[in-house]
Amino acid sequence: FTKRESIKKVIRDNGLPIVQTKVVWLTESDVRILYANDEPSPYFDASVKYMTDGFSEVGIIVKENAIAKLSQLTGDGHIPEDCAPGTLRQMFGKTIPICHGGHKYYLNPLHRPRDTSEAEKNLNLFRQLANRPLATTVCDMVRKLHQDKNLLCVFDHHIMRVVTFGQNLCARFGGDKEVIRLASLLHDIASLIAGKNEHHTRGARDAGLILKILGQQNTLITHVQDCIRSHRGSVHVSHTSREAEIVCAADGLANLSY
């Protein structure tokens, strides 16, 4: 994901215009749609794990014979060093394999359709992803991060309770529903990495980075950050908005009912 701008530049420089892109967090069901023809493969489970472990960028290329040209540019081999020089897998694929289920697996930089039927399925998935609400994407991401830490109980019984209390309080007292929902989902994001100490300040920073990657405007990012920075009742930080007050109250109510 970190090399996506370089990858897109190579694609464009080879005469393949990218007309639309979106940064997304793929779920397991999304990956199963992408690799529906590969499920019997021993590499399928590794693909699911790899592609749901972080952000991805999806895009549409419009060009005559785009499928064949992108396939040639991508490279045919699974091992990067076996691909032709100048192909995307040779230049950007991981040269050190990972082991999964007793098989060696090389991480390739992109997925591309092999024929028009697969391209149509990919396009349908892109349309779904393009219309997926921001809060849904963030919710999928936060849930996966908790799952990876064996903390789904925390996600289910604290994070989602904060979300519910926040939305209920918003309905009663007013406020920006999206800001409250995003801040509720992200308020403890830093505690997954660095623990509870100062997680409100680090969490505000991490939430800002996440929302920036997802292409959000600074006004929304700053508002969400302010809510996270002041959400802890045990740390005195002045609330700068009704949304911040609601997120703090929702966190307190969730802690009381946990």
Side-chain angles (χ1 to χ4, degrees):
F1 180 78
T2 57
K3 298 179 180 179
R4 69 189 191 281
E5 295 302 329
S6 298
I7 292 171
K8 288 189 292 184
K9 184 178 186 303
V10 172
I11 292 173
R12 292 190 181 103
D13 288 349
N14 279 269
L16 293 170
I18 304 171
V19 299
Q20 189 176 355
T21 66
K22 184 175 182 179
V23 175
V24 297
W25 186 283
L26 296 173
T27 65
E28 181 175 334
S29 60
D30 296 332
V31 180
R32 290 189 180 278
I33 293 172
L34 281 176
Y35 291 102
N37 297 329
D38 296 338
E39 285 208 39
S41 166
Y43 307 109
F44 179 76
D45 288 341
S47 296
V48 171
K49 183 180 186 308
Y50 169 54
M51 295 184 72
T52 59
D53 269 350
F55 290 110
S56 299
E57 186 168 7
V58 296
I60 297 175
I61 294 171
V62 177
K63 180 79 173 181
E64 186 176 356
N65 295 322
I67 295 172
K69 291 177 181 178
L70 181 61
S71 180
Q72 182 179 12
L73 179 60
T74 300
D76 293 328
H78 291 290
I79 303 174
E81 61 187 20
D82 291 344
C83 295
T87 59
L88 293 168
R89 287 181 174 175
Q90 184 269 330
M91 291 188 291
F92 300 105
K94 298 290 186 180
T95 56
I96 299 175
I98 62 174
C99 292
H100 187 86
H103 300 276
K104 286 185 178 180
Y105 180 81
Y106 290 85
L107 302 181
N108 287 315
L110 80 162
H111 164 83
R112 83 286 186 273
R114 287 166 288 196
D115 53 43
T116 54
S117 175
E118 190 173 348
E120 186 61 34
K121 291 178 182 177
N122 290 177
L123 185 59
N124 288 336
L125 177 61
F126 179 91
R127 293 189 183 108
Q128 294 176 33
L129 294 170
N131 292 320
R132 187 168 291 172
L134 172 63
T136 301
T137 297
V138 172
C139 187
D140 290 338
M141 179 203 73
V142 174
R143 187 182 190 282
K144 181 62 165 58
L145 294 176
H146 279 81
Q147 180 180 355
D148 289 345
K149 295 282 187 178
N150 293 317
L151 292 172
L152 273 180
C153 59
V154 176
F155 176 81
D156 292 335
H157 298 292
H158 179 69
I159 301 298
M160 292 311 296
R161 286 186 179 183
V162 175
V163 172
T164 299
F165 281 127
Q167 294 302 292
N168 290 341
L169 290 169
C170 179
R172 174 66 176 83
F173 298 105
D176 189 314
K177 290 178 64 176
E178 183 176 41
V179 168
I180 292 169
R181 184 171 176 82
L182 292 171
S184 298
L185 287 166
L186 293 167
H187 76 282
D188 278 351
I189 194 71
S191 63
L192 293 171
I193 303 169
K196 290 289 186 181
N197 188 36
E198 297 298 316
H199 75 276
H200 56 299
T201 54
R202 178 166 179 167
R205 183 195 68 188
D206 292 348
L209 293 173
I210 290 166
L211 294 174
K212 185 174 182 179
I213 288 172
L214 290 171
Q216 299 308 300
Q217 298 296 317
N218 287 335
T219 302
L220 174 67
I221 293 173
T222 300
H223 203 163
V224 172
Q225 287 179 309
D226 288 343
C227 293
I228 294 173
R229 197 175 290 114
S230 61
H231 83 270
R232 295 179 68 185
S234 60
V235 178
H236 180 68
V237 178
S238 297
H239 299 130
T240 58
S241 65
R242 176 169 296 177
E243 290 78 13
E245 292 175 341
I246 286 176
V247 173
C248 180
D251 185 52
L253 288 170
N255 286 326
L256 287 172
S257 61
Y258 183 68

